[in-house]
Amino acid sequence: MKKLLVTGGAGFIGGNFVYYMLENYPDIQLVCLDALTYAGNLETLKGAFKNPNFKFVKGDITDRKLVFELFEEEDFDCIVNFAAESHVDRSIEAPEVFLKTNILGTQVLLDACNKFGTERFHQVSTDEVYGDLPLDRPDLMFTEETPIHTSSPYSASKASADLLALAYNRTFGTPVTISRCSNNYGPYQFPEKLIPLMIANATHGKPLPVYGEGLNVRDWLYVEDHCRAIALIIEKGKIGEVYNIGGHNEKANIEVVKTIISVLGKDESLITYVKDRPGHDRRYAIDPAKIHAELGWLPQTKFDDGIERTIKWYMDNTSWWENIFNGKYKSYTAEMFE
């Protein structure tokens, strides 16, 4: 890889991936394309802007003219597509936004890869395309052969993008790989998601809203482990293949919330149970046997270690998430693009 395009790199996982690649591949030229919608935060990339091998472009992956001009100018070797609307609750409120970005945006990128002969297109997907698993069958896990069975407009849009990418591989020979990960956690996660929201609310003594009884189970993957897996896939993964990336850290939501409360020294009276959301998946669990067997990857971060590291980061960087709550992060973006 000489020149890499990372779409959605001002978001949570994309931003962490930018830092991972710049640190571990010092000779790489990295371009980040991000539309800077509500969850895109240029403050996340402050450190990257100091690196001469990093370049930022503000733009939407659905803008065909902009994307094609960027591909022609930069001659990318590899594309890693993180750009996506990703919050399930928002997809229930406004499905059309998810369909546009997650499906049509992916199509634009695939078309650009075909036109300009890009050597690798990697689609970052989610375990949510598989639907859910029963709580009383801990032996069951998602594999790459598990049928797609989506539960929300968000997961349906991601599954559609996956199928489109695989169809492009079969029809046009587009050099596609796909990864489907479990729930990520770590630095720079937008504080509408469970872990950063609980940290922020608990810090200020605010209620901690938990859906239903908090018994829904997720497999938690520390974001740096995820970044390492993607780097391996784009280097050594087989074209046309899907790789599941799991953390081997299954936790009920209420257990995660109580862990955060304990680490912060707060009281469980802050927990507030709220009405469950429609179509809430019960359990996710990924079997990463394929990526382990083929590429030698295994998660390195245990949840207890990762959650303490994550909480410490949020406590050491309170201005980052407070600027999101008070809207100042948007002012920073506006100043950058005046």
Side-chain angles (χ1 to χ4, degrees):
M1 295 177 291
K2 297 178 182 178
K3 185 168 284 189
L4 175 67
L5 174 65
V6 177
T7 66
F12 164 44
I13 307 176
N16 277 280
F17 185 72
V18 166
Y19 286 120
Y20 181 88
M21 296 303 290
L22 290 175
E23 180 179 349
N24 292 279
Y25 298 81
D27 296 328
I28 200 170
Q29 297 290 317
L30 193 152
V31 178
C32 172
L33 174 64
D34 199 296
L36 297 178
T37 55
Y38 79 95
N41 188 353
L42 271 186
E43 290 189 348
T44 296
L45 296 173
K46 272 186 175 180
F49 278 102
K50 300 174 184 177
N51 191 312
N53 290 346
F54 176 77
K55 177 180 178 180
F56 182 85
V57 178
K58 184 178 184 295
D60 195 318
I61 61 171
T62 64
D63 186 339
R64 184 173 291 267
K65 181 175 182 296
L66 180 147
V67 168
F68 275 50
E69 288 176 351
L70 184 62
F71 270 66
E72 185 171 25
E73 177 183 345
E74 299 290 350
D75 190 25
F76 298 113
D77 300 296
C78 178
I79 317 302
V80 181
N81 182 30
F82 291 96
E85 298 288 344
S86 65
H87 193 47
V88 173
D89 290 358
R90 289 178 182 265
S91 81
I92 295 170
E93 296 172 4
E96 67 277 6
V97 178
F98 286 70
L99 303 185
K100 179 182 178 184
T101 298
N102 298 358
I103 303 173
L104 298 181
T106 300
Q107 181 204 4
V108 170
L109 293 172
L110 288 165
D111 286 342
C113 285
N114 287 346
K115 180 176 176 62
F116 295 99
T118 307
E119 295 176 10
R120 174 75 64 128
F121 176 88
H122 183 72
Q123 173 70 6
V124 180
S125 189
T126 169
D127 59 357
E128 294 193 40
V129 302
Y130 297 125
D132 63 355
L133 297 165
L135 293 174
D136 59 354
R137 288 291 307 276
D139 57 309
L140 295 179
M141 304 179 78
F142 297 136
T143 71
E144 290 80 1
E145 283 71 45
T146 300
I148 287 175
H149 186 68
T150 60
S151 304
S152 69
Y154 161 61
S155 58
S157 68
K158 292 297 289 184
S160 299
D162 289 3
L163 293 175
L164 187 65
L166 292 172
Y168 266 59
N169 170 248
R170 182 166 182 175
T171 302
F172 305 112
T174 314
V176 165
T177 48
I178 295 171
S179 59
R180 294 173 178 156
C181 67
S182 53
N183 281 42
N184 279 219
Y185 68 105
Y188 300 113
Q189 187 169 26
F190 199 79
E192 66 184 356
K193 297 299 181 81
L194 178 68
I195 288 176
L197 179 62
M198 296 300 116
I199 295 171
N201 281 15
T203 299
H204 291 298
K206 294 181 178 180
L208 308 181
V210 175
Y211 281 129
E213 297 178 347
L215 300 180
N216 304 73
V217 172
R218 300 293 180 261
D219 175 20
W220 293 96
L221 174 67
Y222 191 64
V223 66
E224 186 175 323
D225 285 339
H226 186 191
C227 295
R228 182 167 48 85
I230 293 173
L232 277 171
I233 293 170
I234 60 178
E235 269 200 294
K236 302 176 181 178
K238 296 178 182 176
I239 298 296
E241 293 292 319
V242 175
Y243 294 91
N244 281 353
I245 307 172
H248 281 315
N249 286 305
E250 286 188 56
K251 304 285 181 183
N253 287 344
I254 190 61
E255 184 180 355
V256 173
V257 173
K258 289 182 178 181
T259 298
I260 294 169
I261 291 172
S262 175
V263 173
L264 290 174
K266 301 295 182 177
D267 194 272
E268 291 186 7
S269 62
L270 291 174
I271 297 173
T272 303
Y273 294 97
V274 299
K275 182 180 178 181
D276 211 352
R277 73 181 178 211
H280 198 176
D281 289 334
R282 292 163 294 181
R283 172 176 169 256
Y284 302 148
I286 273 192
D287 181 357
K290 178 177 177 178
I291 190 172
H292 174 56
E294 293 189 10
L295 304 181
W297 180 90
L298 278 176
Q300 295 179 350
T301 309
K302 296 179 180 179
F303 184 79
D304 289 344
D305 297 330
I307 196 65
E308 288 200 14
R309 200 181 308 170
T310 299
I311 292 171
K312 183 179 186 306
W313 185 89
Y314 281 94
M315 299 312 296
D316 290 344
N317 295 273
T318 55
S319 62
W320 181 87
W321 51 267
E322 285 177 346
N323 283 346
I324 292 175
F325 283 121
N326 62 33
K328 288 184 178 179
Y329 79 110
K330 294 182 180 179
S331 300
Y332 179 79
T333 297
E335 290 172 6
M336 293 287 287
F337 290 98
E338 281 184 347

